[in-house]
Amino acid sequence: MDRLSNTVRPYAWGSTTAIPELLGIAPTGEPQAEMWMGAHPGAPSRLTRAAGTGEAGPEQPLTDVIAADPERELGRATVEKFGPRLPFLLKLLAAGAPLSLQVHPDLAQAKQGYEDEERRSVPIDAPHRTYKDANHKPELICALTPFAGLCGFRRPTEAAEAMAALGVDSLKPYVDLLGAHPEEAALREVLTAILSADPTEMAETVNLAAAAAERLGGAHAPYARIAHHFPGDPGVIAAMLLNYVELQPGEALFLGAGVPHAYLDGLGVEIMANSDNVLRCGLTPKHIDVPELLRIVRFEATDPGVLRPEASPSGEELYETPVDEFRLSRFDLSPGAAPVDLTRDTPQILLCTGGAPKAGELGLTPGASVFVPSGEEVEVSGTGTLFRATVVA
């Protein structure tokens, strides 16, 4: 197996302290939003694979290692099912401010959208480009600290009550729409109206709503905090259509295709299919393709479905999801316990989030990770918490 060297992405919404505290290093004062572990071409992990002489070889990207021999690194079943690339991306995610309100396409929508933009010769790096690849992007976030987010539409009547309580006259048309139509039509009409409103009028509505939310506090307080980071942004009103969720450490959320969501605050382990496809609804200065967004969003009220891991006799605690591109589980290793065999015929990344466990002979500290090629024997031991990322092949 190989110890990984990983890139930390300094997105503006990132916490300045959460990742440094986990790693046990001094903060730089700059936001540190995500640490990427995997073989995404945007920031692949790096490793030093031992040469045949026993001496360390040069550091190289995991993308290159996999490309040189996909079947050896990923296993034949993984390559046959997903192609010659690692199907998932694992992250430490540290939100100090809200991320953009967003949805992801399903696989058919992603393929169609990507082919359409390729056919129209939209540059892959163009600000108005929507589909960066032809893959879907289901994802799972597991909280390491108390973690706040928005996930899926709540019932239109609940959203109407929350808006009405603010006492803002310009919100009344949305309140009326939410109460006058069947669920799907109500959510579609109101989100469309919010995103299509005159920007100046919407900014005034958002500012009035934020001030009222600040006064009311309680269940309205999250929207005041969102507006503090994005004054005048229509996403503040759109956020009121969604379920507000607070995860405790160890709890998780699964985000499937078409489900609007945003992370607001906290540190977590995130895993996703290896894709960059995001359609934004608000809380962002970036491009919003309203017609395409409305085609992708699933307009149905849902329970956010907080996940808690299922324990097995081996001590593995698995977060069940309906996708095959990733499989996330956790091990809490106790002092004096027997080593746990994690050998699998699929590629794995092991991430330490607490204590000082060992993967084989490699000692790990919080934030350290290793790549385990398919079929390579690996035991974990010692004391601490390890997350295991792999695939279902």
Side-chain angles (χ1 to χ4, degrees):
M1 77 193 77
D2 306 279
R3 191 185 297 275
L4 296 177
S5 175
N6 304 304
T7 298
V8 176
R9 311 306 293 263
Y11 304 136
W13 51 260
S15 167
T16 59
T17 59
I19 289 179
E21 285 178 1
L22 182 72
L23 300 178
I25 61 177
T28 64
E30 299 298 319
Q32 298 189 28
E34 296 180 345
M35 186 172 78
W36 288 20
M37 291 156 281
H40 191 286
S45 298
R46 302 171 303 283
L47 55 86
T48 303
R49 179 69 57 89
T53 61
E55 298 178 357
E59 188 175 73
Q60 54 189 317
L62 182 56
T63 43
D64 291 357
V65 171
I66 291 172
D69 195 343
E71 284 200 10
R72 178 185 183 279
E73 305 297 335
L74 306 178
R76 176 172 295 180
T78 299
V79 173
E80 289 178 351
K81 190 168 186 177
F82 302 108
R85 64 179 193 142
L86 190 66
F88 63 84
L89 176 63
L90 184 67
K91 300 179 180 179
L92 280 173
L93 183 145
L99 282 68
S100 61
L101 193 59
Q102 60 189 260
V103 295
H104 306 304
D106 64 25
L107 191 56
Q109 291 165 340
K111 288 181 177 178
Q112 180 184 2
Y114 180 77
E115 290 170 0
D116 175 64
E117 290 188 315
E118 287 290 283
R119 185 169 56 252
R120 292 189 285 116
S121 300
V122 180
I124 199 71
D125 57 352
H128 62 285
R129 174 91 187 210
T130 298
Y131 293 95
K132 307 294 187 183
D133 53 67
N135 200 16
H136 63 163
K137 193 186 176 186
E139 61 190 40
L140 176 80
I141 184 76
C142 177
L144 295 179
T145 67
F147 193 97
L150 304 168
C151 179
F153 289 110
R154 55 181 170 178
R155 295 188 181 281
T157 52
E158 295 175 1
E161 290 173 3
M163 289 186 185
L166 296 173
V168 176
D169 289 344
S170 51
L171 288 177
K172 191 174 186 304
Y174 305 146
V175 174
D176 293 342
L177 283 171
L178 288 167
H181 293 280
E183 180 178 282
E184 180 179 346
L187 293 169
R188 178 181 291 275
E189 287 191 37
V190 172
L191 183 61
T192 302
I194 291 169
L195 298 179
S196 304
D198 177 85
T200 301
E201 294 177 0
M202 175 54 69
E204 182 178 355
T205 296
V206 171
N207 293 337
L208 291 171
E214 183 76 34
R215 290 193 303 270
L216 289 172
H220 288 84
Y223 308 107
R225 293 195 295 271
I226 293 170
H228 172 75
H229 291 285
F230 294 95
D233 192 301
V236 176
I237 307 302
M240 299 187 72
L241 300 175
L242 307 186
N243 296 296
Y244 174 73
V245 186
E246 290 185 343
L247 301 178
Q248 296 306 309
E251 295 180 334
L253 288 174
F254 173 74
L255 292 313
V259 177
H261 61 279
Y263 303 145
L264 304 178
D265 183 72
L267 176 67
V269 174
E270 186 183 35
I271 189 168
M272 62 188 63
N274 206 344
S275 171
D276 272 339
N277 287 326
V278 176
L279 290 96
R280 295 174 177 86
C281 317
L283 310 184
T284 178
K286 295 183 179 179
H287 174 66
I288 298 177
D289 184 342
V290 174
E292 184 66 6
L293 171 72
L294 297 175
R295 188 178 76 87
I296 297 302
V297 172
R298 289 169 48 195
F299 288 98
E300 59 183 37
T302 58
D303 184 294
V306 175
L307 296 176
R308 296 171 183 86
E310 296 289 331
S312 70
S314 69
E316 183 179 31
E317 298 179 329
L318 175 65
Y319 293 91
E320 291 279 3
T321 69
V323 299
D324 291 345
E325 281 88 349
F326 59 77
R327 178 184 187 276
L328 186 71
S329 58
R330 186 183 68 186
F331 293 84
D332 286 319
L333 304 172
S334 301
V340 181
D341 183 5
L342 300 191
T343 306
R344 284 178 64 96
D345 290 329
T346 54
Q348 304 180 70
I349 291 178
L350 306 179
L351 166 66
C352 173
T353 59
K358 295 179 70 176
E361 297 302 315
L362 294 178
L364 303 178
T365 56
S369 58
V370 296
F371 173 71
V372 185
S374 170
E376 182 165 321
E377 294 184 3
V378 56
E379 286 188 339
V380 294
S381 59
T383 305
T385 302
L386 278 175
F387 280 83
R388 175 202 225 180
T390 185
V391 302
V392 180

